[in-house]
Amino acid sequence: MGSEASELPRRPLNGDDEIGNFFLTLQWPFSYCNVHLRDKFTCFRPVPGDFKIHGLWPVYRNGFWPINCPARELEEQMLKNKKEDIAMEWQALEPRGGGRDYSNLKFWKHEWEKHGSCSKMEEPLSYFLKAIELKKKLKDLKFDENAGIKPGGTRFTPKKLIEIIEKNYKVKVNLRCNFNYADKTVPQLIEIRFCFNPKFDLSSCKPITADKCGCGGEEKEILLPDETSLLLEKTERDEKDEL
Ligand code: 5GP
């Protein structure tokens, strides 16, 4: 992934490194896995059917997106007995050269080094627990199925989803889409980004342009895939194996 880093310049101007807000980025596992779930990139099963954390990313007040700041290295023992709690909400969806624990740690190290290191939180554990706490503030991220936002083939517009979230949470979010490996015609929602101010109150995110969000525009139809989008992929792979 890493596409978010291209949205904003990375280096602070005028030495201004005050944090303006944090993005809590939640990922929709099926949209991550139906792209990566092929050959050696096979997601762990079962793929979770709810939003999980991708990262907690600070952005400076002047709009710069800092990454890879000097900070201590994350070591497993720093997470003490909280690893399981963290993994419930923030887990590596696909193996990274090892089992779940190994892959989680690799993902967490990456997120800490790239983004957490610039969060002005000195302790990695505080950073991870903060992300979990913020996600819990959102409670169960449920959509109004009557409004047509439900996993499966139903299509809806980014505008509609942003409005529904605004109704529930009183803030505007950013969305990001990608494409299913097997279907490049309709973008699928992969991320919802919630913004928090430096006091960690939920706040509105500045809108991002259609080309940056990958959803094709506010009025374009997108969908939220369910587990059947993985079966499609599996069938294709199985067919290849059988040849
Ligand atoms: P980013 O650089 O976008 O903050 O983080 C994504 C990096 O973490 C990529 O290298 C990606 O391959 C790796 N990664 C490992 N597990 C996951 C996962 O479950 N979700 C996402 N989005 N990235 C993951």
Side-chain angles (χ1 to χ4, degrees):
M1 315 244 55
S3 49
E4 90 290 346
S6 58
E7 280 166 28
L8 297 165
R10 293 178 197 167
R11 304 246 176 271
L13 276 181
N14 321 320
D16 174 5
D17 65 353
E18 205 180 319
I19 292 176
N21 67 60
F22 286 87
F23 279 86
L24 177 70
T25 298
L26 304 181
Q27 58 182 349
W28 182 246
F30 298 123
S31 300
Y32 184 82
C33 293
N34 69 20
V35 172
H36 292 259
L37 192 98
R38 66 192 126 100
D39 302 330
K40 59 188 162 75
F41 288 122
T42 304
C43 277
F44 292 112
R45 303 284 185 147
V47 174
D50 56 345
F51 280 91
K52 297 293 178 196
I53 297 174
H54 174 172
L56 179 64
W57 305 333
V59 179
Y60 290 152
R61 282 177 81 84
N62 60 13
F64 285 83
W65 191 295
I67 58 168
N68 302 331
C69 298
R72 74 185 51 170
E73 216 174 288
L74 170 64
E75 285 161 30
E76 192 169 5
Q77 71 273 13
M78 292 175 179
L79 302 177
K80 303 192 176 134
N81 58 351
K82 298 289 179 194
K83 271 192 307 183
E84 281 180 19
D85 294 350
I86 299 168
M88 290 274 285
E89 298 293 350
W90 191 343
Q91 57 197 243
L93 296 168
E94 59 185 344
R96 293 274 142 186
R100 281 182 189 268
D101 285 353
Y102 176 87
S103 304
N104 284 344
L105 195 63
K106 228 174 156 184
F107 186 30
W108 297 337
K109 278 187 179 192
H110 169 84
E111 290 296 313
W112 166 253
E113 267 169 37
K114 186 170 172 185
H115 303 282
S117 62
C118 304
S119 68
K120 304 205 192 290
M121 285 179 241
E122 280 179 23
E123 296 299 328
L125 181 59
S126 316
Y127 169 74
F128 288 101
L129 293 182
K130 180 55 83 179
I132 307 297
E133 178 196 319
L134 297 181
K135 178 158 188 287
K136 290 204 167 131
K137 272 194 189 182
L138 302 173
K139 306 226 166 60
D140 246 1
L141 199 56
K142 286 222 170 80
F143 304 125
D144 184 351
E145 297 211 348
N146 296 328
I149 315 276
K150 60 178 177 196
T154 331
R155 297 179 187 188
F156 54 89
T157 63
K159 187 167 179 227
K160 181 96 196 161
L161 179 55
I162 291 171
E163 278 171 11
I164 289 173
I165 294 177
E166 194 172 7
K167 209 168 103 201
N168 291 343
Y169 294 98
K170 315 283 175 255
V171 292
K172 282 194 191 296
V173 291
N174 289 167
L175 305 181
R176 289 188 70 91
C177 296
N178 68 348
F179 285 99
N180 180 340
Y181 172 67
D183 176 9
K184 302 277 187 287
T185 57
V186 186
Q188 55 180 9
L189 181 72
I190 183 166
E191 285 178 359
I192 302 182
R193 297 178 177 185
F194 282 88
C195 290
F196 288 84
N197 68 21
K199 291 184 177 156
F200 296 107
D201 302 315
L202 199 51
S203 58
S204 276
C205 305
K206 284 196 201 119
I208 48 170
T209 54
D211 57 318
K212 299 240 166 84
C213 86
C215 302
E218 285 229 310
E219 307 279 0
K220 186 128 192 260
E221 288 192 320
I222 61 172
L223 53 80
L224 193 61
D226 62 11
E227 66 276 6
T228 60
S229 70
L230 305 176
L231 294 176
L232 203 68
E233 184 83 30
K234 191 163 172 280
T235 310
E236 218 177 58
R237 201 177 53 236
D238 289 349
E239 276 170 6
K240 218 165 71 191
D241 289 347
E242 281 160 17
L243 287 178

